[in-house]
Amino acid sequence: MRNQPPSLPSTAKRNIEAIAQVEQSLLRKRRFAERMGALVARFFGSLLFIAAHIFVMTLWIIINAGGVARITPFDPYPFSLLSLIVGIEFIFLTTFVLLNQKYQIRREEQWSHLHLQLSMLTEQEVTMNVQMLRAISEKLGIQNAITDDELAEMAKPTSVTAFVGEIEKSRDFGPPADEFVMGMEKEAAQNGRGT
């Protein structure tokens, strides 16, 4: 009897389906130029493209170096026409790659926004859970959990704007990373001795 892989819980399957639906929706919303840019960028990034270039350029150089007796060279060394064609191709290639990157950036921004919204929702749900647990603890007469300052702080909603402001402030004026880590370790050691 063969071992079958473990099956996923139904909630995980629903999450995968929801993510796939969001991805499909984002793909359907692409503009024509973005679709073309993705197709061209995919082709330019393939081994077929490299092989075609090697073949065409080798043939071009052989013909124009006089390597084929029956064909008159039409772009003698230093292959100015070939350089012009490659330069124009590079311009188009760069444009298509930039179109594709623009789409990828927009898509990442959409996913980042979704992650932020879900994180904020999770934080709100956790805050509500902590508040409910405190209420249950009070009802049952468990005093240790009620007087904990850190728990009381966690029971308050987190201000996103305060978070952003603190992050910006620490980026601009924060201590060097090694000082910060040493301070955190010292604080953790003090908290460990105090209990």
Side-chain angles (χ1 to χ4, degrees):
M1 191 165 114
R2 286 182 8 187
N3 289 339
Q4 292 194 356
S7 63
L8 288 174
S10 60
T11 53
K13 289 179 183 176
R14 281 195 307 270
N15 290 342
I16 290 169
E17 289 171 8
I19 290 169
Q21 287 175 357
V22 169
E23 275 291 325
Q24 290 303 316
S25 172
L26 291 174
L27 288 173
R28 282 191 299 271
K29 289 179 182 177
R30 288 187 302 179
R31 297 181 195 117
F32 176 76
E34 291 171 338
R35 280 191 223 117
M36 287 303 298
L39 286 171
V40 171
R42 192 176 308 132
F43 173 68
F44 282 150
S46 69
L47 288 175
L48 177 63
F49 176 75
I50 294 170
H53 265 73
I54 291 171
F55 175 76
V56 169
M57 287 186 184
T58 303
L59 187 63
W60 187 289
I61 292 169
I62 290 171
I63 290 171
N64 288 296
V68 179
R70 295 185 182 179
I71 301 176
T72 307
F74 54 90
D75 184 24
Y77 181 82
F79 313 115
S80 303
L81 182 57
L82 178 62
S83 297
L84 175 68
I85 292 170
V86 169
I88 292 171
E89 178 187 44
F90 178 75
I91 290 169
F92 282 110
L93 171 64
T94 304
T95 303
F96 282 119
V97 168
L98 289 174
L99 277 172
N100 195 38
Q101 284 180 341
K102 181 180 171 186
Y103 166 72
Q104 293 293 337
I105 289 168
R106 195 172 80 237
R107 187 171 150 195
E108 288 300 319
E109 285 173 351
Q110 289 170 327
W111 279 111
S112 293
H113 186 74
L114 177 63
H115 284 287
L116 176 62
Q117 293 295 329
L118 291 173
S119 293
M120 290 173 66
L121 180 62
T122 301
E123 188 277 330
Q124 291 165 354
E125 290 171 350
V126 169
T127 300
M128 290 298 291
N129 285 334
V130 170
Q131 290 170 349
M132 287 190 303
L133 285 172
R134 284 190 80 197
I136 291 169
S137 295
E138 286 176 8
K139 186 84 170 166
L140 294 175
I142 303 171
Q143 297 302 317
N144 291 346
I146 298 170
T147 58
D148 185 44
D149 292 336
E150 192 173 355
L151 181 64
E153 195 173 310
M154 286 182 183
K156 297 176 186 173
T158 303
S159 169
V160 175
T161 53
F163 240 106
V164 170
E166 196 64 32
I167 290 170
E168 290 299 318
K169 191 169 46 171
S170 70
R171 283 184 180 164
D172 294 340
F173 304 108
D178 54 343
E179 288 179 30
F180 176 76
V181 171
M182 288 173 42
M184 293 294 289
E185 289 172 349
K186 184 177 178 182
E187 184 180 322
Q190 288 173 347
N191 289 340
R193 272 189 254 124
T195 56

